[in-house]
Amino acid sequence: RLVASGSDLLLEAKTAEVGPGEQFMWRFNTTSNLVKFRLGSEPLIKYKERTVFSKQNYSLLLKNMQHSDSGNYKAVVSGLEEKTVTEYTIRVQVSPVTLTVTPTNPGCYNFTVTCRTVDSQINGTFQCDNKTWCLLHQTHLKDSSLKVYVKESSVICNHSNQVSWKQDVKDVSSLCQKEKCKI
Ligand SMILES: *[C@@H]1O[C@H](CO)[C@@H](O)[C@H](O)[C@H]1NC(C)=O
Ligand SMILES: *[C@@H]1O[C@H](CO)[C@@H](O)[C@H](O)[C@H]1NC(C)=O
Ligand SMILES: *[C@@H]1O[C@H](CO)[C@@H](O)[C@H](O)[C@H]1NC(C)=O
Ligand SMILES: *[C@@H]1O[C@H](CO)[C@@H](O)[C@H](O)[C@H]1NC(C)=O
Ligand SMILES: *[C@@H]1O[C@H](CO)[C@@H](O)[C@H](O)[C@H]1NC(C)=O
Ligand SMILES: *[C@@H]1O[C@H](CO)[C@@H](O)[C@H](O)[C@H]1NC(C)=O
């Protein structure tokens, strides 16, 4: 299932029969329990700010889905043995990007590009010389899903993951037309 970045996701447990002494859990990627619930007691919830668990039908609402929330979600009932009631594979699509290009003071041939998403940003600088231009460097993030590069007469920011990509493009050809610069 594909989910847009920043959207909410409702996971239905479908038919969960939880007997006395048994425990119901929502598990992420086999290692982390998001919710643990026993009949007659309050649920234990890992991310209280962004999850809503229904004690009536065991559904789980996850708010503001992010890239790192991609993975496997399982509804599990455990008594003497564990059984998986429902399972989902969730892939979160990348969020849109915004690219801005600003001249670097005071050099009129150098420009800074900033590429932003809702939760991260990278910077790059490029230089134009004799009407051609090139990317000098860009900051690197641990998460390499954001990239900025130059192609023909445009600067492109590409935000991608395994399932989707979004881009913003700025035409910068006019920025390199200046023959002289005042410093
Ligand atoms: C379960 O409860 C939640 C929250 O009350 C609700 O949004 C959802 O539609 C319910 N699901 C079913 C299958 O009844
Ligand atoms: C969860 O599992 C998926 C698929 O194996 C993996 O791509 C993702 O990085 C994992 N996420 C976390 C936070 O461990
Ligand atoms: C542009 O940046 C490069 C590399 O940092 C530097 O060598 C050059 O002097 C700068 N040019 C101007 C006009 O600021
Ligand atoms: C990018 O530049 C902005 C302002 O110019 C700065 O606040 C931010 O920390 C920079 N980001 C990185 C990853 O270098
Ligand atoms: C600028 O570029 C043009 C065409 O590529 C070339 O003929 C010219 O010699 C260049 N001028 C300088 C000052 O590098
Ligand atoms: C953006 O990156 C993705 C993944 O690397 C690639 O498939 C896609 O073609 C790129 N888009 C552009 C416009 O370069």
Side-chain angles (χ1 to χ4, degrees), residues 10 12 54 57 59:
L10 180 69
E12 305 269 15
S54 163
N57 67 25
S59 71

Side-chain angles (χ1 to χ4, degrees), residues 104-111 125-128 136-137 181 183:
T104 311
N105 263 337
C108 55
Y109 291 131
N110 284 358
F111 296 86
T125 53
F126 70 90
Q127 182 175 31
C128 58
L136 292 175
H137 73 86
C181 55
I183 296 183

Side-chain angles (χ1 to χ4, degrees), residues 6-183:
S7 66
D8 296 349
L9 174 69
L10 180 69
L11 299 176
E12 305 269 15
K14 305 205 172 124
T15 53
E17 296 289 332
V18 181
E22 287 185 330
Q23 183 164 249
F24 177 88
M25 286 166 289
W26 274 108
R27 189 170 290 163
F28 174 60
N29 268 9
T30 72
T31 49
S32 154
N33 287 318
L34 303 175
V35 173
K36 275 190 172 187
F37 177 64
R38 267 176 212 283
L39 284 177
S41 60
E42 283 305 302
L44 287 175
I45 296 177
K46 189 166 184 187
Y47 304 112
K48 283 208 170 70
E49 342 62 67
R50 53 177 300 246
T51 49
V52 180
F53 175 69
S54 163
K55 289 193 277 180
Q56 279 69 47
N57 67 25
Y58 307 124
S59 71
L60 183 69
L61 178 70
L62 294 165
K63 296 177 191 165
N64 189 21
M65 293 293 285
Q66 296 301 320
H67 185 57
S68 56
D69 296 325
S70 291
N72 173 269
Y73 291 81
K74 262 183 198 169
V76 174
V77 174
S78 80
L80 292 173
E81 285 170 10
E82 276 201 2
K83 57 177 190 283
T84 298
V85 181
T86 318
E87 192 168 355
Y88 296 91
T89 301
I90 301 297
R91 302 230 165 257
V92 181
Q93 292 177 298
V94 292
S95 55
V97 288
T98 314
L99 183 66
T100 51
V101 177
T102 42
T104 311
N105 263 337
C108 55
Y109 291 131
N110 284 358
F111 296 86
T112 300
V113 293
T114 300
C115 180
R116 276 196 192 81
T117 70
V118 281
D119 54 6
S120 63
Q121 89 175 60
I122 61 169
N123 299 329
T125 53
F126 70 90
Q127 182 175 31
C128 58
D129 189 17
N130 193 18
K131 296 184 185 176
T132 63
W133 44 273
C134 61
L135 192 64
L136 292 175
H137 73 86
Q138 62 174 292
T139 53
H140 291 277
L141 299 177
K142 274 174 264 139
D143 163 19
S144 63
S145 66
L146 266 184
K147 285 194 177 69
V148 62
Y149 49 93
V150 294
K151 197 175 179 186
E152 284 148 26
S153 52
S154 298
V155 176
I156 300 170
C157 178
N158 190 358
H159 188 203
S160 63
N161 65 10
Q162 303 88 330
V163 292
S164 65
W165 56 271
K166 293 261 164 66
Q167 62 167 6
D168 193 10
V169 179
K170 289 276 176 323
D171 183 337
V172 290
S173 52
S174 66
L175 297 177
C176 283
Q177 295 306 317
K178 266 189 233 151
E179 298 293 340
K180 286 182 180 158
C181 55
K182 314 177 263 195
I183 296 183

